[in-house]
Amino acid sequence: MIARFQWQDARTIQDAVAQLDATSLVKAGGIDVIDRLKEGLDAPARLVNIRTIPGLDQIRQDASGLHIGPMATLDQLDKHEAVRRSYRALADAAGHAATPHIRNVATIGGNLLQRPRCWYFRNEEFHCLKKGGDHCFAQDGENDYHAIFGNDVCAIVHPSAVAVALVALGATFEVTGKRGQRQVPAEELFVRPEVDVRREHNVAADELLTAIHIPAPENGSRSAYMKLGEKESFDWPIAEVAVVLGAKPAVVLGAAAPIPWRAVAAERVLAGGGVTEETARAAARAAVQGATPLRNNAYKVPIFETIVRRTILAAAGA
């Protein structure tokens, strides 16, 4: 049963921030928030609706790069001409998330900051580490879809598709709170379980994600994203990969770790120059070095190796 809460329509960013505290939740598209209320994960005293703030859904490009409001929907990103032309990895990540109906409502901000979809975390019968318990049930339980990297404390996989692309593209997040505004590089937004197992990001309860900035792509750089699930229709990914090729190559894995996982060894292989089938294979092998699969998910290692290779070749235009 969902507890009673107060509903507040925010009219400005300042209005929303003024209403945020430890007892409130932000409601953007509402996809994850409604699930969490029904699952008993949250019982806020107040929901602050930011859909009523004008202009937060804008997407614009200028000489410095791409500027995205947190209320831009996944469908907008998928179909936006500038995003698809210059930031293909982001367009494809948004366009392959969820279903068309959900993409019409789900926002980039909500997708980034959603809570993990681990079935132990989402089930009220399991008091896991992320809920203040003393045990990660996935370590010894049903862990077919869980992490193969960074999984020694908590075995969740980060649930955001767009986060994988944004880390690869070098995005910066604008966060606004009662103490002012700050800029957070993409890789610093996400929190590993060994740092704080109760949190997935460092946007505080009284702060709001207000903008996303992606730098203009370097001349000649290209990006790609690929996802593999058990079904071609809506499904959570078994593996997803975003690749940027350029002066500073980026290879980021999703559904692999509690955070978007940067495959640094693969990036070193690609830093040598042009991409061939041989270098793509070598980078893919490097990307899965150090994996620590659990009892039921070792099958993800060769899948990631294959998807990394294919995404590199796709970014290279092969």
Side-chain angles (χ1 to χ4, degrees), residues 200-211:
E200 297 82 51
H201 56 78
N202 63 24
V203 179
D206 61 351
E207 291 183 314
L208 186 67
L209 175 65
T210 47

Side-chain angles (χ1 to χ4, degrees), residues 91-121:
D92 284 346
H96 286 83
T99 64
H101 298 83
I102 291 176
R103 290 195 294 271
N104 280 326
V105 178
T107 65
I108 186 171
N111 188 271
L112 275 167
L113 304 181
Q114 65 184 301
R115 302 300 307 274
R117 299 289 173 166
C118 169
W119 41 49
Y120 295 110
F121 174 63

Side-chain angles (χ1 to χ4, degrees), residues 147-149 157-165 167-168 190 224-226 237-243 250-267 283-291 300-301 303-309 311-312:
I148 60 171
F149 292 99
V157 294
H158 198 272
S160 172
V162 296
V164 179
V167 170
F190 306 106
Y225 164 91
M226 285 191 177
I238 290 172
E240 57 184 341
V241 177
V243 168
V251 179
V252 181
L253 314 183
I259 61 171
W261 191 260
R262 190 140 202 168
V264 177
E267 294 173 354
R285 288 193 296 270
V288 295
Q289 289 176 0
K300 294 179 75 169
V301 176
I303 288 176
F304 266 107
E305 184 174 338
T306 299
I307 300 301
V308 169
R309 176 178 59 84
T311 312
I312 291 169

